[in-house]
């Protein structure tokens, strides 16, 4: 029994979504571990907009790389 094309597409979408979320979580964890200061304090207490832009840029760059790798 072969899966219907739409079911195969749905399952691959789920797999890629989980992969992307794990990659984003791992990237954020690495950023937190390699930074010499508290990311949470910089973002929440000090309202450091530049830090938010840097972290967002890293995650956006990662999203472009993952998207290109998935697309082929």
């Amino acid at each position: 029994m072969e899966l219907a094309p739409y079911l195969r597409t749905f399952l691959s979408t789920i797999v890629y979504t989980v992969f992307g979320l794990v990659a984003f979580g791992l990237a954020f964890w690495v950023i937190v571990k390699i930074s010499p200061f508290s990311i949470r304090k910089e973002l929440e207490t000090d309202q450091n907009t530049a830090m938010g832009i840097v972290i967002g840029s890293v995650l956006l760059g990662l999203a472009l790389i993952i998207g290109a790798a998935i697309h082929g």
Side-chain angles (χ1 to χ4, degrees):
M1 181 172 129
E2 187 171 330
L3 293 175
Y6 61 88
L7 186 57
R8 179 175 293 179
T9 302
F10 178 74
L11 290 176
S12 67
T13 301
I14 295 297
V15 169
Y16 287 130
T17 300
V18 170
F19 171 72
L21 289 173
V22 168
F24 282 134
L26 184 63
F28 188 74
W29 180 79
V30 168
I31 290 170
V32 168
K33 289 299 177 189
I34 65 172
S35 66
F37 44 81
S38 172
I39 298 291
R40 173 171 276 187
K41 179 184 173 293
E42 288 293 322
L43 293 176
E44 292 178 2
T45 305
D46 297 340
Q47 300 287 315
N48 190 343
T49 306
M51 179 60 60
I53 291 172
V54 167
I55 291 174
S57 298
V58 168
L59 294 179
L60 185 59
L62 183 62
L64 290 172
I65 292 169
I66 291 172
I70 291 172
H71 189 269

